[in-house]
Amino acid sequence: MPAYVALLRGINLGKRRLKMDELREAFVDWGFAIPQTILASGNVVFASQQVDPAIVKASIEAGMQASFGFASTTLIRSSAQIATLIDADPISGLPMDKDTKFHVTFLDNPLSPQPSLPYVSSSPDFEVHRIDDLHLLDTVHLGPKTGTLDLMDFLGKHFADSATTRTWNTVLKIHAKLESL
């Protein structure tokens, strides 16, 4: 049975609060097997007899609206896609310190020509690099006046609701859970 991760946008932000046990129960009600959540930010690994990710995505988005009363754009990745992303090791060779954070932005549609990548902010507080057509590597250089907000503004301007971002450590946790299904 294929294994997937659902990356739900906007979970546990503002008024969109969900308990992870309720989310796992909903996934079972929607016909998915062995759902497991990672953190409380809308990451659910699960198995499905459905092999078409578009149908899986539509089922989850409809279920979110019906069960919880709000829409949540959902990005779906197969276990194989996450493994390929991990194998690409996009942070290899990059300078790492306590003030540098790595994120992966998952795109719902293949990357269009805009924005021009790599992008380095004028500060330079963050950088955005292409991993492949569906993933970006975001590097944030934390400082007294810098963080992820400028990066999120940049991503929102260019990708709106068709992207969601997770830390590299969260991607590693997702991969480990998918491997254990």
Side-chain angles (χ1 to χ4, degrees):
M1 190 172 344
Y4 299 97
V5 62
L7 304 163
L8 305 161
R9 278 186 47 86
I11 299 301
N12 288 335
L13 296 173
K15 295 181 181 181
R16 301 169 112 192
R17 300 284 172 189
L18 286 179
K19 293 182 178 176
M20 293 300 100
D21 58 339
E22 292 174 356
L23 184 58
R24 287 188 299 272
E25 289 172 18
F27 266 69
V28 171
D29 292 345
W30 303 333
F32 301 114
I34 48 177
Q36 300 174 40
T37 53
I38 296 104
L39 305 172
S41 55
N43 310 297
V44 185
V45 299
F46 59 96
S48 175
Q49 293 184 1
Q50 179 55 251
V51 296
D52 184 345
I55 294 173
V56 171
K57 172 185 170 69
S59 297
I60 293 169
E61 289 180 342
M64 290 296 295
Q65 185 67 50
S67 298
F68 301 110
F70 61 83
S72 176
T73 301
T74 303
L75 285 82
I76 300 294
R77 293 295 187 271
S78 69
S79 181
Q81 286 175 303
I82 294 296
T84 298
L85 181 60
I86 296 297
D87 290 344
D89 194 11
I91 66 171
S92 176
L94 296 177
M96 294 186 201
D97 59 50
K98 66 178 181 63
D99 295 325
T100 302
K101 303 297 178 200
F102 299 101
H103 301 84
V104 174
T105 297
F106 295 83
L107 304 175
D108 201 19
N109 300 301
L111 187 63
S112 65
Q114 294 296 326
S116 179
L117 297 175
Y119 176 84
V120 178
S121 67
S122 59
S123 304
D125 300 332
F126 67 90
E127 302 166 24
V128 179
H129 300 269
R130 178 188 183 127
I131 298 173
D132 58 37
D133 281 349
L134 291 173
H135 305 96
L136 305 174
L137 175 67
D138 313 317
T139 306
V140 179
H141 308 285
L142 303 175
K145 296 181 180 181
T146 62
T148 59
L149 292 179
D150 289 336
L151 169 65
M152 294 304 147
D153 288 345
F154 171 85
L155 295 171
K157 176 182 171 187
H158 291 283
F159 304 107
D161 289 342
S162 65
T164 192
T165 300
R166 301 296 188 269
T167 68
W168 181 248
N169 286 337
T170 299
V171 175
L172 293 173
K173 289 175 185 178
I174 288 167
H175 178 63
K177 286 267 190 189
L178 284 166
E179 292 289 301
S180 72
L181 285 184

